[in-house]
Amino acid sequence: MSKVICYPRCCKPSAYDDGTLYFEVFSTPEENLANVGYVGVQIFKELRISQIRPSVPAFDFLMIAMGVVSADKAVLRSECADGWTRQIELTVYVHEHDKWLQEKKQLEEMLRFLTGDFWTIHFKKLNIPICPEKDYPLRNNDCVCLLSGGMDSLVGAIDLHEEGRNPLFLSQIVRGDAEHQRGYAASVGENNLCQWSNSVKKHGRTENSTRARSIIFFAYALLASCGIDYNENGRKEIFVPENGFISLNIPLDQMRIGSLSTKTTHPVYMRMLQNIWDDLDLKVDLILPYKYKTKGEVLVECKNQEMMRSLIFGSTSCGKYQRHGLRHCGECVPCLVRRAAFLKAGLKDDTENGYCVEPLKGSDSQDVAAAAMACIEVQNQGIERFVKSALSFCDSTEKSKYLGVVSRGLEEIRMLLMEYDVL
């Protein structure tokens, strides 16, 4: 069991145990110890710049999310018995201690699904309140929309604008994406972007799998929703523009079930997160407008084709984008899905800076091989045999829709592989 404690300055430990990892939230620790790091040092400043006063439950969820991403970064999978599955005991501080105790089991189950690890969460009550209390006027935005800098989030921004909505965009600052995020938000409005950072710092080696990374994105979106008013139904909406093929992320082969199958917007994760928020009476709805669409269909059905085509090639899809000097590798699964989407939409792929690997024939990428084998398996045995039990979470009607998404998504990839003589 790996122990991680995340604490604000007002609750810092009187002594530090050598066998525990510590993270100070919102400030840089005074102690220079090998097992003490920090997270979220800019968020108070960023909330002031964005003029948003968070609610107490939203702020508590932020502190929990920061604890989760810190632990996810700090605890190395390579040091676990099976080289992957971790047992993490996380302690976090919250204002509403009793409310969160009621959510403990559901939160642990959600994190188990999200990261593939065993989580034990301990809540401690803050001895003094630290949630910012300065009030600001509510913004005139009518919803919140995640804006990552990727293709789907760009189309999501365009579609909401074309529908007459006025979204407040929420972005995490990522090297290589920040300028594009600002450009995308500016293309559909003004003063409509919260661009916040999430910096987890620790001494020594860090874990790169980061399966929990999306929880901080949703925590920030929940904070941003505190800056807008409720709609006529007494709710607030957070749009999560992600295509269904990527959200489901069905393993392309049996070797990808654990380490290569992320669940950052998976329907089960989204449902569990929504349940927790509903239990806390936050009155905020997570909406995935493209959950039954492939990436190619998202492009084809974009409601302003001219705007989309003028901006889409600066978007980022590759999971190794920074490692390749702000270039797409061209052969990881997200790159294959991206390239297939352009082909589906009949667009010449003018991705900025091109791909590190342009021709796919002869590629030694395991992802290209897995994609090819998946296409062959579906062709020979059918889509249901390929999916197996991956859709057991949904009813028959929803299963049929998701089967369609997976089938059409793989067909887009098959057409790409045929285009490059891989199949």
Side-chain angles (χ1 to χ4, degrees):
M1 182 75 75
S2 299
K3 294 186 177 182
V4 180
I5 298 176
C6 287
Y7 60 91
R9 177 69 59 83
C10 61
C11 300
K12 76 174 184 177
S14 56
Y16 295 85
D17 180 8
D18 289 341
T20 300
L21 294 166
Y22 297 88
F23 287 89
E24 188 165 309
V25 293
F26 311 128
S27 53
T28 305
E30 297 170 322
E31 298 76 14
N32 184 22
L33 300 174
N35 60 334
V36 180
Y38 58 91
V39 59
V41 295
Q42 295 294 322
I43 191 60
F44 281 108
K45 176 183 176 182
E46 289 164 343
L47 284 168
R48 288 195 300 270
I49 291 172
S50 299
Q51 296 193 340
I52 290 175
R53 177 186 178 179
S55 68
V56 169
F59 194 78
D60 277 352
F61 185 73
L62 170 70
M63 289 194 289
I64 294 168
M66 285 186 168
V68 169
V69 295
S70 297
D72 191 37
K73 194 82 169 175
V75 181
L76 302 178
R77 294 189 183 276
S78 61
E79 296 182 355
C80 299
D82 65 356
W84 180 257
T85 309
R86 302 169 297 185
Q87 297 184 55
I88 299 173
E89 184 177 343
L90 172 65
T91 298
V92 292
Y93 286 78
V94 292
H95 295 84
E96 298 182 324
H97 179 265
D98 293 345
K99 284 186 179 180
W100 282 106
L101 275 182
Q102 297 177 32
E103 301 305 313
K104 172 181 165 65
K105 182 178 179 182
Q106 189 168 202
L107 181 62
E108 290 170 346
E109 289 175 352
M110 183 183 77
L111 294 174
R112 166 71 174 142
F113 178 83
L114 179 63
T115 73
D117 305 301
F118 293 97
W119 291 78
T120 302
I121 308 295
H122 301 298
F123 298 107
K124 289 195 172 183
K125 186 172 179 58
L126 282 164
N127 50 28
I128 59 171
I130 61 172
C131 183
E133 296 183 347
K134 184 173 181 179
D135 221 346
Y136 300 100
L138 291 174
R139 292 168 169 266
N140 61 0
N141 306 95
D142 59 13
C143 61
V144 172
C145 181
L146 302 188
L147 187 67
S148 65
M151 294 170 70
D152 294 355
S153 69
L154 169 60
V155 176
I158 294 171
D159 284 353
L160 285 171
H161 177 68
E162 293 299 309
E163 291 167 9
R165 302 298 297 268
N166 181 21
L168 174 61
F169 296 108
L170 189 282
S171 298
Q172 286 194 85
I173 298 173
V174 178
R175 186 170 66 91
D177 287 343
E179 185 176 344
H180 286 127
Q181 292 166 352
R182 290 190 289 270
Y184 296 161
S187 68
V188 294
E190 56 184 23
N191 190 29
N192 59 354
L193 176 64
C194 296
Q195 198 174 35
W196 298 340
S197 59
N198 171 42
S199 179
V200 180
K201 299 294 184 183
K202 71 175 288 284
H203 298 284
R205 296 165 58 203
T206 58
E207 172 59 44
N208 292 323
S209 59
T210 60
R211 287 295 174 264
R213 62 185 180 273
S214 70
I215 195 171
I216 197 69
F217 212 167
F218 292 115
Y220 282 172
L222 183 60
L223 285 185
S225 75
C226 296
I228 67 173
D229 205 353
Y230 295 96
N231 61 24
E232 58 186 12
N233 298 316
R235 310 285 294 183
K236 299 180 183 184
E237 296 171 315
I238 294 176
F239 285 87
V240 185
E242 181 84 284
N243 72 83
F245 185 79
I246 288 293
S247 285
L248 289 169
N249 203 11
I250 305 292
L252 296 178
D253 62 40
Q254 291 303 304
M255 298 300 292
R256 305 177 64 88
I257 289 175
S259 62
L260 295 172
S261 293
T262 59
K263 299 179 174 70
T264 51
T265 58
H266 192 282
V268 171
Y269 171 45
M270 293 290 89
R271 183 173 64 201
M272 297 172 89
L273 182 58
Q274 183 71 66
N275 286 343
I276 291 172
W277 287 4
D278 288 347
D279 287 348
L280 295 168
D281 198 28
L282 292 171
K283 296 182 172 61
V284 175
D285 296 319
L286 290 161
I287 299 173
L288 283 79
Y290 306 135
K291 64 181 178 179
Y292 300 131
K293 293 183 181 182
T294 67
K295 203 177 201 76
E297 291 164 351
V298 170
L299 293 189
V300 169
E301 298 170 23
C302 179
K303 296 177 180 179
N304 187 328
Q305 289 287 314
E306 182 179 356
M307 183 182 293
M308 181 269 288
R309 291 170 188 236
S310 70
L311 297 170
I312 198 72
F313 299 113
S315 63
T316 304
S317 303
C318 183
K320 306 171 185 176
Y321 186 68
Q322 294 186 26
R323 278 185 265 169
H324 289 292
L326 305 185
R327 290 185 72 197
H328 287 76
C329 75
E331 52 187 359
C332 67
V333 170
C335 278
L336 295 178
V337 174
R338 174 191 181 89
R339 299 174 73 170
F342 284 132
L343 186 63
K344 167 73 174 178
L347 292 176
K348 181 179 181 295
D349 189 346
D350 288 326
T351 290
E352 283 185 11
N353 301 320
Y355 298 99
C356 295
V357 175
E358 290 279 355
L360 295 173
K361 186 176 182 179
S363 168
D364 60 0
S365 165
Q366 293 182 354
D367 287 4
V368 174
M373 291 303 297
C375 292
I376 293 170
E377 182 180 347
V378 170
Q379 185 175 354
N380 292 339
Q381 299 184 3
I383 190 65
E384 293 210 41
R385 182 68 66 88
F386 170 76
V387 168
K388 299 180 177 65
S389 63
L391 298 180
S392 59
F393 65 88
C394 52
D395 60 28
S396 58
T397 301
E398 194 173 41
K399 180 180 179 181
S400 176
K401 292 178 180 179
Y402 281 133
L403 276 173
V405 169
V406 178
S407 179
R408 298 192 308 275
L410 282 172
E411 177 62 15
E412 290 179 13
I413 291 176
R414 188 180 75 86
M415 295 303 293
L416 174 73
L417 298 181
M418 290 179 64
E419 179 80 6
Y420 283 93
D421 296 324
V422 176
L423 290 176

